[in-house]
Each structure stands twice: as structure tokens, then as C-alpha cells.
Amino acid sequence: MATATATKDKSVLWDWLTTVDHKKLAVLYLIAGTLFFVKAGMMALFMRIQLMSAENDFLTGQTFNELITMHGTIMLFLAATPLIFAFMNFVIPLQIGARDVAFPFVNALGFWIFFFGGLLLSVSWFFGGGPDAGWTAYVPLSSGEYADLGLDFYVVGLQVSGIGTLVSAINFIVTIINMRAPGMTMMRMPLFCWTGLVVSILIVFAFTPLAAGLALLMLDRIFGGQFFIPDMGGNAVLWQHIFWIFGHPEVYILVLPAFGIISEVIPAFSRKRLFGYTAMVFATLVIAFLGFMVWVHHMFTVGLGPITNSVFAIATMGIAVPTGIKIFNWLFTMWGGKITFNTAMLCASSFVPTFVLGGVTGVMLAMVPVDYLYHDTYFVVAHFHYIIIGGIVLGLLAGTYYWYPKMFGHKLNEKLGILMFWLFYIGFHMTFFIQHILGLIGMPRRVYTYLEGQGMETMNLVSSIGSFVMGAAILVLIINVVYSAFNSERITVNDPWDARTLEWSTPTPIPEYNFAQTPQVRSLDPWFYEKVHGDGTMKPAEPMTDIHMPNGSILPFVIGLGLFIWGFGMIMINMDDTIVPPFLVIGTGVILTFGSMLIRSIKEDHGYHIPLEQVKKIEKEVS
């Protein structure tokens, strides 16, 4: 039996490559998501330079198409999703009083498969160029007739990373349902856990049709299939249905956790409990349900008929009702509270009006006759970014500043944080608000240039300047991370924000086992309840004993690498003059993947125990 002492013998690199600890995997998700976010943000800046003036030749049309495709794909699949998974990984087990997720090995497997899938998509630049059919990959633009090798990287890379996202989501569902501490009923769970549960269910139902669609597109492109090729009896509209059955819930997969973060930050810094908790839970469930019923509003101009369009238009407008409930509940939570406007609260409170603006334009787009006018214009771009950046990114920034002390043991510098917020907020509205007007005067989206004399030059210039202000804000955030790592005081208390939920009852730094004794939950906001009605400590639900922990493993890393090689070999089938035969590469990937699975299946791994004496010693040190 291994011991806790044995784990300290690992080198730093080996420790991080083999870790199955949910807290370390959260940091890995945070780093990977940030790198992809910065990369996609740089692409956006290049596109805004191109559009800064009329008839600009900074980029060619082909390069612009590749940048716009990769920007959208990376932001949604490889940046926003892992950043959300970072917080879900770190916070959810702590908020429900668990020592880890249900399947730590699978948790690590999900991360490495996601990471290598993203890497596979990214290396397309070195093999003839990135995908160029837009992040929606509409057929026939994405067919073999029109799209080059870059689309193969898109199709295979997203399939691989999608497997990682799926297994992680299943893990969260099992964790939240089965591993809550005694007394934590479903209606005592923090809103962030509720949104984590709901989006995990959404991922299972939304990513599976996408995986099927990508598999069919792969068969069309690599093996001469005909599912989406009209000349061969296929149906191009079928791809649109498959994509948007995934694509619209994807927006809620990203925005609901942001709702959860806001629902944690606003009560903490308003010094009040969340107003209308029950209504917030049911609003989350209704939004998730309706999110699956509205995909056709992306296809109003396809020609599905007035009755179909009307039904989906009404369903789309219906989402405004539960969303409105959330908006009012956040406002009522702040109403009369003793509000602290630090960086986290600035991001959280400014989220509310910004998201409302995005929601209002969403209702405008839900009106079918009006949608015909707005379709494929910059109005849609503006609406979408008010939801994605004004909603999701502000939520992620709020979560970063809120949970950073618990994750890294020190706070981020507040002055730099407030500077970042105002740069980001001003730059964001400069960039995207004016794009509503550009859309209304008829500027089409996804174009790499425009003519002079159409009244678009000044507004495009303002929009481009705004994007650089946003970029400066992200640069300030990165500087803040480095500056605070060297200059901020280490946090020595459990709860620097005087917060309400269980993660703030743990010591800082958090021991690898999270809780020496599983806590007994006696109320909603259990940590706040014990501070007010108890003695300021969580009541244990079990005696202190040896603690069982899972062993680390390199196999998740190897399986992810195997899928990367396997996928690359599949893409090589469409390459000319390869040095190594594609099927040799495919075989290597298959052997690595299934060989690792076989080792995992036949090798007994019962984990290790941390002895009671060592637990007591650690608890004494951290207290």
C-alpha cells in the first residue's frame, strides 16, 4: 500500500503529468484554456487590424477565412469550455463536501484527451493551413470539393477533444448525484453545483449528435461518403440540423456555469443570501430544457416553412422568461446589501446589464421577419459577443478573482484588477456595441474587406481600437498574475471573503484530501450557517480515520497521446507524399490507446491510505 509520503517523491513534472487530483487538474484546465484563449484573442486582433480600414490588404481573404474559423472554434471548444471545467473541477467537489470527483482517473483522462484533441486541431497551421469553412463548417463549404486539409484537422481534432469533454461531463454528473456530504440535499446545493450538473447533462445530450455529425463528415471527406453531398443523394441541410442541435445548447453549456459563478459572487459581496434560490434552480432547469427546443432559430432563412419558424420563434422568446427571473433575483440580492465593489464584484454586477443587452437583441433576432434582415450581418456578431464575452467571459473573470485565493494561496492585486476591469469593459462596448449599427446599415459578417464610401470606415476603426483596449486588459490580467505571485501576501485564513459555501471552510492551502472529516451539512449556505448559528467550524459527519486516496497514473496522458497519433494518421490519408505510411501511424495510435486501456483493465490499483497520525499532523500544520 502506498502512502502519502510516497507521493512526495515524484518530480514536479511527473507529478503534474500523472496527477488525478481534481485541484491540480483544475489548474491544468486553467492553463490550457488561458493559452487557447490568448491564441484565439490574437487571431481576433489580426482580423480587426484587417477591418480597420476599407480595402485593407493586411490579410488575404484565405488567411482571414482561416483565422475567423479558428477563432470561433478555439474560443468555444478549447478556451471557454476548459476554463469553465477548471472552476467546476476545483469548486464542485469542495462545495458538495467530497474528497475528489467520483472517478479521479477518468477526470485526468478527460483533460488529456481534450488537450491532445485541441493540439491536433492547432497543428493544422503546419500542414497547409487551418480550416476555412467557418466554425459552423457548413456543407458544402466543408466538403472535400471546397475545403482543404485544414478541415480534416477540424473534424478529427474536435472528435478527439469532444470525447474528453463527454467523459468529464459524465464524471461530474456521477459526482454531484452520489458524493454530496450528509445533509446536502439537492435543494441545499450551491447554484454553481446546480449549473454544473445541468450543463453536464446538456453536454451528454448535445455533444453526442455533434460527434455523430463529425463522424459522418469525416466519412464524407476521408472515405468518400455521401451523407452531406447533394450531387450524390446527400443532404446539406442535415448538417445544419445536426450542428445546431449541438450548437444552441452549447451556448447554454457555456453561459449557465457563468450564471452559477455570478450567483456565488453577488451574495458573497452583497452580504446577503441569494434571493429566490428555489426560483433560480427551476429557472436553470427550464433554460436548459428550452435550450434544446430552439435550434431552428439559427436556420430561419433556410426555408423550413412559416409554421416551423413560428414555433421555434415562440420557443426562443420563451427563454427570456426564466432568464428574466435570474436577472431580477440577482438585482434583488444586491438590493439593500452591504456591497463591496472589488474586482470580482465589478465583473459580476456589470455582467447583469451587459447580458440583458445581449438578451434583448436575442429576442429581436427571434422575430422571423426581422431575422431575415439581420441574418448574416454584423448585428448577429454583436449579439453573439454580448452573450459570449459580456456574459461568459465576465463571469469567468469574476470567478477568477473570487476563487483565486483558494486556488493559489494569495489574492490578485486589486488595483491592477480594477484597471483590468475598466479597460475590458470600455474596450468591450467600443468593439461590439457599434457592430449593431454596422449590421443595421448592412455590413455582412465573415467578409475580409469592404469598399470605401459606404459609411463603415469610422465605425470599423472604433471597433478595432476597442479590441486593442480589450487586449490591453487581458495583458494587465497576465501582469497581475505574475506580479501577485511574487508580491501578494500569502493567505493564512480559510475564508478571506467572509463567504457562504463549503469550499471556504477548508484550510488554505487545501490538503490533498480536502476534508479530514466529511462535513455534516445543516442548511443552505452551510459555512455561513455554522458561522452564525454554530461555533464557526463545520460539524463532522464521521470520526477521523485513515483516508483513502487514488494513485496517480501516466495512462491518461498516454491514451490522449495515442488518440492524437491515431487522429493524425487518419488525416494523413488525405495528404500527398507522406514520409511514413498513414496506416503505420494509425496503428501506432491504436496500440498506444488500447494498450493503455488493457493495462488499466488488468492491473490492480487500490490506491493508498494516508495514516491517521499523518492526517492529524497535516491538520495541525494547516490550522
Side-chain angles (χ1 to χ4, degrees):
M1 182 179 71
T3 65
T5 308
T7 64
K8 295 178 182 176
D9 296 334
K10 296 178 180 177
S11 71
V12 174
L13 178 62
W14 185 255
D15 185 32
W16 283 92
L17 289 178
T18 60
T19 186
V20 296
D21 184 339
H22 72 98
K23 300 181 287 297
K24 289 183 177 177
L25 286 166
V27 174
L28 290 175
Y29 269 116
L30 196 63
I31 294 170
T34 302
L35 291 176
F36 281 122
F37 180 85
V38 171
K39 178 182 170 184
M42 293 293 291
M43 293 176 186
L45 290 180
F46 287 141
M47 288 188 287
R48 285 315 315 173
I49 292 173
Q50 168 64 22
L51 294 170
M52 192 178 279
S53 60
E55 300 182 68
N56 196 354
D57 58 359
F58 177 71
L59 298 174
T60 65
Q62 176 61 29
T63 305
F64 188 90
N65 286 345
E66 292 174 14
L67 287 177
I68 205 168
T69 301
M70 288 294 276
H71 167 76
T73 306
I74 291 175
M75 278 296 188
L76 290 174
F77 289 98
L78 307 179
T81 302
L83 289 173
I84 286 167
F85 270 25
F87 291 123
M88 287 170 64
N89 252 295
F90 189 86
V91 176
I92 286 178
L94 296 172
Q95 283 194 336
I96 63 173
R99 292 202 169 112
D100 207 320
V101 294
F103 308 114
F105 180 90
V106 174
N107 199 20
L109 183 65
F111 169 76
W112 287 113
I113 292 177
F114 145 77
F115 178 76
F116 278 108
L119 201 61
L120 183 58
L121 176 63
S122 299
V123 297
S124 58
W125 296 104
F126 302 104
F127 297 91
D132 56 359
W135 81 280
T136 53
Y138 276 174
V139 183
L141 285 177
S142 58
S143 67
E145 185 178 357
Y146 295 100
D148 292 328
L149 200 63
L151 229 295
D152 293 325
F153 283 95
Y154 170 97
V155 170
V156 180
L158 288 188
Q159 284 186 86
V160 174
S161 74
I163 295 170
T165 306
L166 263 174
V167 298
S168 297
I170 293 167
N171 205 0
F172 282 123
I173 294 171
V174 178
T175 301
I176 294 171
I177 290 177
N178 287 311
M179 297 189 68
R180 285 171 285 119
M184 178 159 284
T185 61
M186 293 298 283
M187 293 310 288
R188 285 180 179 173
M189 276 206 311
L191 243 295
F192 184 69
C193 294
W194 262 110
T195 55
L197 174 63
V198 170
V199 302
S200 298
I201 296 170
L202 284 179
I203 286 171
V204 171
F205 285 99
F207 270 66
T208 38
L210 176 69
L214 288 170
L216 297 180
L217 188 57
M218 179 184 72
L219 291 173
D220 274 11
R221 289 185 54 83
I222 299 179
F223 299 104
Q226 52 189 351
F227 296 100
F228 305 118
I229 311 300
D231 293 343
M232 303 173 75
N235 189 337
V237 177
L238 176 62
W239 168 260
Q240 293 191 33
H241 280 292
I242 291 173
F243 185 86
W244 287 118
I245 284 173
F246 147 79
H248 195 78
E250 168 70 2
V251 176
Y252 296 100
I253 288 168
L254 300 177
V255 83
L256 283 175
F259 286 178
I261 294 171
I262 301 301
S263 301
E264 300 297 323
V265 174
I266 286 181
F269 296 114
S270 299
R271 302 289 182 265
K272 285 176 65 182
R273 68 181 295 175
L274 182 67
F275 185 90
Y277 168 84
T278 306
M280 292 289 262
V281 171
F282 283 99
T284 303
L285 295 171
V286 173
I287 290 172
F289 176 76
L290 289 177
F292 269 103
M293 302 292 132
V294 297
W295 80 88
V296 165
H297 73 214
H298 295 273
M299 302 166 61
F300 280 157
T301 58
V302 169
L304 300 179
I307 295 176
T308 304
N309 283 356
S310 300
V311 169
F312 281 89
I314 293 168
T316 302
M317 293 179 196
I319 293 182
V321 177
T323 308
I325 289 171
K326 285 183 170 290
I327 298 292
F328 281 113
N329 283 351
W330 289 321
L331 292 176
F332 287 135
T333 303
M334 287 186 275
W335 184 269
K338 295 178 181 177
I339 301 176
T340 303
F341 275 114
N342 55 17
T343 309
M345 187 60 177
L346 281 171
C347 292
S349 55
S350 61
F351 163 99
V352 177
T354 311
F355 189 78
V356 168
L357 278 172
V360 168
T361 52
V363 174
M364 292 168 70
L365 285 163
M367 295 183 281
V368 180
V370 183
D371 185 82
Y372 269 74
L373 299 176
Y374 298 150
H375 186 75
D376 264 349
T377 71
Y378 258 82
F379 189 88
V380 179
V381 179
H383 156 72
F384 185 65
H385 283 85
Y386 263 77
I387 298 296
I388 297 295
I389 297 181
I392 298 163
V393 176
L394 277 176
L396 290 171
L397 288 172
T400 301
Y401 279 86
Y402 180 57
W403 281 308
Y404 203 87
K406 189 57 78 176
M407 294 180 81
F408 297 101
H410 62 271
K411 292 182 182 178
L412 289 171
N413 183 277
E414 269 301 307
K415 288 182 180 176
L416 287 172
I418 290 172
L419 174 64
M420 180 226 66
F421 167 76
W422 284 114
L423 283 174
F424 188 85
Y425 204 60
I426 293 169
F428 164 71
H429 285 290
M430 277 181 70
T431 307
F432 294 108
F433 188 81
I434 208 161
Q435 290 183 4
H436 291 105
I437 303 168
L438 276 170
L440 290 175
I441 67 173
M443 180 166 175
R445 62 193 293 198
R446 303 189 183 107
V447 294
Y448 84 103
T449 189
Y450 51 93
L451 296 175
E452 285 185 90
Q454 295 180 320
M456 298 174 182
E457 293 94 331
T458 305
M459 285 187 276
N460 270 303
L461 178 62
V462 171
S463 182
S464 296
I465 294 172
S467 67
F468 277 92
V469 177
M470 286 175 68
I474 300 302
L475 186 61
V476 171
L477 174 60
I478 295 169
I479 292 171
N480 196 352
V481 169
V482 177
Y483 175 83
S484 301
F486 291 101
N487 295 286
S488 290
E489 291 184 10
R490 310 306 297 178
I491 297 292
T492 55
V493 296
N494 296 355
D495 182 11
W497 304 126
D498 191 19
R500 312 176 72 86
T501 40
L502 265 182
E503 74 271 29
W504 301 104
S505 70
T506 58
T508 308
I510 305 172
E512 60 181 310
Y513 47 76
N514 293 351
F515 301 92
Q517 295 167 281
T518 303
Q520 177 70 46
V521 174
R522 300 198 290 171
S523 170
L524 179 68
D525 292 342
W527 175 233
F528 180 80
Y529 181 87
E530 298 298 340
K531 286 191 289 186
V532 174
H533 301 286
D535 60 2
T537 60
M538 291 305 301
K539 302 291 178 288
E542 61 179 3
M544 189 178 286
T545 59
D546 296 353
I547 295 177
H548 177 255
M549 299 296 294
N551 280 322
S553 173
I554 193 64
L555 292 179
F557 178 89
V558 178
I559 292 173
L561 179 63
L563 286 172
F564 174 90
I565 297 171
W566 183 354
F568 191 80
M570 298 286 287
I571 296 166
M572 286 176 69
I573 294 174
N574 274 350
M575 290 183 182
D576 299 324
D577 302 326
T578 55
I579 300 172
V580 181
F583 289 102
L584 180 62
V585 179
I586 293 172
T588 305
V590 169
I591 291 170
L592 273 178
T593 304
F594 285 105
S596 300
M597 290 180 182
L598 181 65
I599 292 171
R600 177 66 182 175
S601 301
I602 60 177
K603 180 186 175 187
E604 291 191 11
D605 182 356
H606 300 297
Y608 65 94
H609 285 81
I610 303 176
L612 176 60
E613 294 73 22
Q614 191 168 349
V615 175
K616 288 180 177 177
K617 183 182 175 185
I618 294 172
E619 287 298 299
K620 187 176 179 182
E621 289 173 358
V622 296
S623 63

